[in-house]
Amino acid sequence: MNRRECLALLGTIAPLPASVLAQQPNATRRLGVLSVTAADDAIGQARSTILVEALALHGWKEHDNLRIDWRSGAGDRARIARLADELVALKPDILLAVGTPSVEELRRRTTTIPIVFAVVTDPVSQGFVKNLAHPGGNITGFTDYDGPLAGKWLEMLTQVTPKVSRVFVVYNPATAPFAPLMLRTIEDAARSLHVTVEAAPVHDAASIAALASRKDCGLLILPDFFTMANRAHLLAAIGEARVPAVFWSRTFVDEGGLMSYSTDSAEQVRRAASYIDRILKGAQAADLPVQNPTKFELAINLKTARAIGATLSSSLLAIANEVIE
């Protein structure tokens, strides 16, 4: 057979299917990552670093046997949708969706490419999976919320002096579709804690700024990538109001918020790398159970407490993982 005949024969050979590639450790695989945070955001950068390091521990090294296509939505739902189109068009072997909007957009575009998610609330009620133990379909991952968490946030506000008797719950309905679930938990807890709660939806800079007029109350900020993306404006408005607030992420406390009780989102990304590894090696997403968070942390900013004239109970301070003086 001459060279021309050999080349013609090679051109008729079909590409190897993913199941075969999974058995070839030297084959370069492709991972698409869609995150709701901005690429230059400190949180997004930290998660990207953690993911790369965790994948390397499983033997998947970027620019070696793994190509990673990074896409960042910067909290913009329309942008996230466009980026989801881009990633699915690249036909990656697997997708990582960080945040609820990322999962929603990717699942609308593919039912065949495996999707692992992280930092997602209530995937069953949102229709991402059938149930936690047996997700079915092409989606599985790691949640950032368990049932009692919302009640715990409210309880923390009742441990602030001067006493808080009214609490406004802040979130963006467009980016936090799971908010009704949390509101029900908060309302149930409010009855036993003798606190009045009221929804305070925000959707733009003006509605965030309006929070500065809230007085004689507490604020409870629900998990929502809109509030994370707009945290500087949110913290400024709360600071102007001089009222106690509890947040869903430690990042808010590091940047001047009063207190937070949160899951470890970095740990979720690290654990997601283990599922990516297993699926690239042949496991099916449908067979990997969705896992709830296992690590929580309480952070308190005493500098902020002094600035707003608030005192936190000794029992709350005693169990804090981090106290910023």
Side-chain angles (χ1 to χ4, degrees):
M1 181 181 293
N2 60 35
R3 181 173 180 272
R4 179 176 296 176
E5 292 171 332
C6 182
L7 290 173
L9 176 61
L10 289 174
T12 66
I13 298 176
L16 291 173
S19 59
V20 175
L21 284 171
Q23 300 172 22
Q24 300 185 29
N26 294 325
T28 299
R29 311 302 296 280
R30 193 164 193 169
L31 165 66
V33 179
L34 180 57
S35 174
V36 296
T37 57
D40 58 353
D41 185 274
I43 297 173
Q45 291 177 340
R47 288 175 179 166
S48 298
T49 299
I50 289 167
L51 177 64
V52 170
E53 292 175 348
L55 287 169
L57 291 175
H58 290 286
W60 299 103
K61 298 181 180 179
E62 189 178 18
H63 309 304
D64 183 4
N65 61 349
L66 182 68
R67 174 174 177 174
I68 304 179
D69 298 295
W70 304 93
R71 297 292 187 275
S72 302
D76 183 328
R77 188 55 183 267
R79 175 178 168 82
I80 292 170
R82 292 195 300 272
L83 296 176
D85 280 330
E86 289 182 16
L87 282 177
V88 172
L90 293 174
K91 299 181 179 179
D93 297 290
I94 190 168
L95 292 158
L96 172 64
V98 182
T100 293
S102 297
V103 186
E104 285 184 329
E105 296 301 337
L106 288 173
R107 71 187 286 263
R108 291 173 180 172
R109 290 159 174 80
T110 180
T111 57
T112 56
I113 301 174
I115 299 172
V116 175
F117 62 73
V119 200
V120 167
T121 300
D122 194 22
V124 176
S125 293
Q126 295 191 77
F128 300 159
V129 298
K130 292 180 179 178
N131 60 63
L132 300 185
H134 304 285
N138 64 317
I139 303 174
T140 188
F142 299 84
T143 75
D144 66 349
Y145 176 78
D146 70 350
L149 195 56
K152 180 66 177 180
W153 291 325
L154 188 64
E155 181 184 350
M156 289 168 62
L157 284 171
T158 66
Q159 298 185 54
V160 176
T161 305
K163 181 176 175 57
V164 172
S165 59
R166 188 179 188 187
V167 174
F168 289 96
V169 182
V170 180
Y171 64 97
N172 183 343
T175 53
F178 44 78
L181 167 73
M182 295 185 175
L183 281 169
R184 287 195 295 271
T185 302
I186 293 168
E187 289 166 354
D188 289 342
R191 285 189 283 272
S192 60
L193 294 170
H194 307 292
V195 176
T196 300
V197 297
E198 182 179 337
V202 293
H203 55 273
D204 56 18
S207 55
I208 291 175
L211 294 175
S213 64
R214 306 284 189 182
K215 306 293 182 182
D216 300 322
C217 68
L219 295 176
L220 193 163
I221 316 303
L222 292 187
D224 181 351
F225 283 97
F226 174 85
T227 57
M228 177 61 77
N230 292 276
R231 62 186 181 276
H233 298 299
L234 189 61
L235 288 168
I238 295 172
E240 185 177 344
R242 292 176 57 84
V243 296
V246 61
F247 300 89
W248 60 277
S249 170
R250 161 71 183 273
T251 302
F252 289 91
V253 177
D254 290 337
E255 297 181 8
L258 179 61
M259 54 186 173
S260 66
Y261 186 61
S262 61
T263 58
D264 188 341
S265 62
E267 179 64 16
Q268 292 171 52
V269 172
R270 190 176 292 110
R271 295 170 73 194
S274 67
Y275 271 17
I276 293 171
D277 170 59
R278 292 174 65 178
I279 292 172
L280 287 176
K281 291 176 179 175
Q284 298 297 311
D287 300 328
L288 298 176
V290 174
Q291 298 189 36
N292 283 327
T294 57
K295 294 179 64 177
F296 301 84
E297 62 176 4
L298 169 61
I300 294 173
N301 192 322
L302 286 182
K303 181 180 179 181
T304 299
R306 289 191 292 269
I308 65 174
T311 302
L312 279 64
S313 71
S314 57
S315 59
L316 192 63
L317 290 170
I319 62 174
N321 300 91
E322 180 74 19
V323 177
I324 299 173
E325 299 286 349

